[in-house]
Amino acid sequence: MGYALLAGLAAIVVLISTAVFIGVGSDDDGLDGTSSGTRNPASPASSGTWVGTWSAAAVAAEPNTQRGFPKMSIRNVVHTSVGGTGARIRLSNLYGTEPLTVSHATVALAAAPSNPTAATGTMRRLTFNNSRTVTIPAGESVTSDAVRLNVPHAADLLVTTYTPTPSGPVTYHPYARQTSYVAAGDRAEETSGTAFTQQSPYWRYLTSVDVWSSETRGAVAVLGDSITDGITSSPGANRRWTDFLAERMRTERDAPHYSVLNGGISGNRVLVDGPRYSPNNGPSGLTRMQRDILTRSGVKAVVIEMGLNDIIKPPRQRDPNRIVAGLRQLVKDAHARGLRVVGGTLTPFGGHRGYRPQLDATRQRVNEQIRQGKVYDAVVDFDAALRDPANPARLRPAYDSGDHLHPSDNGYRAMAEALDLKLLRGSSPTKL
């Protein structure tokens, strides 16, 4: 009788332990990260939370991809801001005109930076609602099930998708400043990079990677233009200003335990949407705030760096109050989610081909309202950090990439250092 009771109790303990490990899944933060009904031994354990480690905004439909990439494998290379013990990805068919079928998808650590070869023992097959194949309707996106994978901080990941059939225009991010790869045939689970002979300067379909973390408490999501996109940063070196910010978050003693998510689009404006097929512009900040910032996993604070393109690019906006009104609407959207917003002043562009004194006057009037606390909960003064003391309308020469608009790597570092990290944590949104 005693042996039977002990055996029964042991069986119950095993069942409970297994249930705790496997868990019940969904895409919600705070759960264990496994997929509903999935009994996957590679799924992460239950102590932790989902947080975005990398993101890129879907910008447009890639030109000349009316059939997509049938019978091709796309291996995107992305760089993590924080690590974790599990991973999941999000694929987008936002700009597609017909369903996109992905029949094989994987994630792995890169054997070396910017290299298409997977590190030994890290290749993981991805599923979507327990299925290896997923079909994403035009205009939609999908999140994968979780896999267990020890993802390091500041590491390159390989996310590979294989599409067996034509799918219509490819949703992409054109100015990745990172080399990704393409191979013929289904090479999604191939660890060797030798088949990936075609290089690409784009990220295709992939818009975010989340990790399951017991250390990182949330994410800072940055809405921005080409300066946040890092269009003049060193390719493959991860020297966008958001990369330097992520480095500060990881290394400084009193920094909040946050990841950093880049939501920059080159040419992006607050008020005006760009064309569907343009590699510049993208949807306006007002249009994409919800999609690219507020719905990212684990967001705790928002940083906004934009407004300059509204002044420089046709139709040029010369009324600073209209730009400020747009920025305030972005803040209002974030406040509706209970998020604090830190906003950047607009940076100098003297010497750039688009410079006009009257346009710079508009920039200065926008900056006046930002500095007076009339726009954001808190301010990071990018203008003061980057401008030339001898000629404040221009970038400091050491911070100028050469086009007199976009910073150099040193300029991007100065932007990251200008942000007081305490502004990202703790306080509730301000009533503006």
Side-chain angles (χ1 to χ4, degrees):
M1 185 73 175
Y3 289 116
L5 179 60
L6 288 173
L9 289 172
I12 291 171
V13 169
V14 169
L15 287 171
I16 292 174
S17 300
T18 302
V20 169
F21 180 79
I22 295 174
V24 177
S26 80
D27 288 342
D28 296 335
D29 294 341
L31 299 180
D32 69 358
T34 62
S35 299
S36 182
T38 301
R39 295 182 177 271
N40 182 355
S43 297
S46 60
S47 178
T49 188
W50 282 115
V51 63
T53 187
W54 173 88
S55 71
V59 175
E62 182 180 346
N64 305 313
T65 60
Q66 294 304 315
R67 299 183 70 251
F69 279 81
K71 302 188 184 306
M72 302 288 284
S73 296
I74 296 170
R75 179 157 286 183
N76 290 296
V77 180
V78 303
H79 194 69
T80 65
S81 60
V82 297
T85 57
R88 67 184 185 187
I89 69 167
R90 191 162 187 83
L91 300 175
S92 175
N93 192 26
L94 180 65
Y95 292 99
T97 56
E98 55 189 276
L100 165 68
T101 296
V102 175
S103 61
H104 199 177
T106 61
V107 61
L109 300 183
S114 300
N115 192 300
T117 301
T120 303
T122 67
M123 182 64 70
R124 302 288 186 270
R125 180 182 295 180
L126 294 168
T127 58
F128 301 84
N129 195 25
N130 305 325
S131 174
R132 171 173 162 167
T133 298
V134 64
T135 298
I136 310 170
E140 301 295 329
S141 59
V142 66
T143 300
S144 75
D145 302 327
V147 291
R148 173 171 284 180
L149 178 65
N150 288 324
V151 179
H153 303 304
D156 279 2
L157 291 180
L158 308 177
V159 178
T160 310
T161 56
Y162 173 70
T163 306
T165 56
S167 60
V170 173
T171 296
Y172 84 136
H173 186 99
Y175 299 112
R177 308 304 286 173
Q178 171 65 62
T179 300
S180 291
Y181 301 88
V182 179
D186 184 355
R187 307 284 184 168
E189 215 156 331
E190 189 168 304
T191 57
S192 170
T194 55
F196 289 88
T197 55
Q198 180 181 333
Q199 296 188 355
S200 166
Y202 310 144
W203 288 311
R204 294 178 170 113
Y205 299 131
L206 183 68
T207 57
S208 67
V209 178
D210 298 340
V211 292
W212 185 255
S213 176
S214 59
E215 299 176 359
T216 304
R217 304 304 179 198
V220 178
V222 183
L223 180 72
D225 50 34
S226 56
I227 291 175
T228 291
D229 207 7
I231 192 171
T232 48
S233 62
S234 295
N238 302 298
R239 291 180 178 173
R240 309 164 193 87
W241 84 263
T242 53
D243 296 316
F244 289 119
L245 180 62
E247 181 182 13
R248 289 189 64 198
M249 294 285 197
R250 293 190 301 267
T251 59
E252 294 188 14
R253 180 176 179 180
D254 295 327
H257 292 169
Y258 291 163
S259 64
V260 179
L261 302 177
N262 190 312
I265 293 180
S266 293
N268 206 219
R269 290 169 284 191
V270 177
L271 303 173
V272 179
D273 290 320
R276 176 183 178 85
Y277 284 93
S278 172
N280 295 305
N281 305 317
S284 70
L286 292 172
T287 299
R288 69 188 186 90
M289 179 68 162
Q290 179 80 8
R291 183 195 78 202
D292 291 343
I293 301 299
L294 301 181
T295 57
R296 297 301 192 196
S297 296
V299 174
K300 302 296 184 184
V302 175
V303 177
I304 296 175
E305 174 280 311
M306 63 188 319
L308 193 56
N309 283 322
D310 292 80
I311 298 171
I312 297 175
K313 301 185 70 167
R316 297 179 179 90
Q317 180 54 251
R318 299 191 182 187
D319 182 354
N321 293 325
R322 290 200 62 191
I323 297 171
V324 166
L327 294 173
R328 284 177 175 159
Q329 182 60 52
L330 294 174
V331 173
K332 183 178 179 180
D333 292 344
H335 283 182
R337 293 294 191 97
L339 299 175
R340 183 172 173 79
V341 183
V342 179
T345 51
L346 310 190
T347 54
F349 67 110
H352 182 261
R353 64 181 182 276
Y355 180 83
R356 306 286 187 276
Q358 62 270 33
L359 299 180
D360 194 50
T362 301
R363 178 183 73 92
Q364 296 287 8
R365 289 197 291 272
V366 172
N367 281 350
E368 285 173 9
Q369 296 192 54
I370 291 174
R371 290 190 179 106
Q372 290 168 5
K374 297 181 179 180
V375 183
Y376 300 112
D377 300 314
V379 176
V380 51
D381 201 337
F382 291 139
D383 174 40
L386 295 179
R387 68 192 178 205
D388 185 351
N391 189 352
R394 301 176 70 113
L395 294 169
R396 186 189 296 260
Y399 295 162
D400 191 342
S401 67
D403 67 4
H404 312 304
L405 174 64
H406 300 98
S408 62
D409 288 357
N410 287 334
Y412 287 128
R413 183 182 291 277
M415 289 179 67
E417 291 175 349
L419 178 55
D420 182 350
L421 300 185
K422 294 192 297 293
L423 300 178
L424 300 172
R425 176 174 56 187
S427 301
S428 59
T430 303
K431 292 183 179 181
L432 300 173

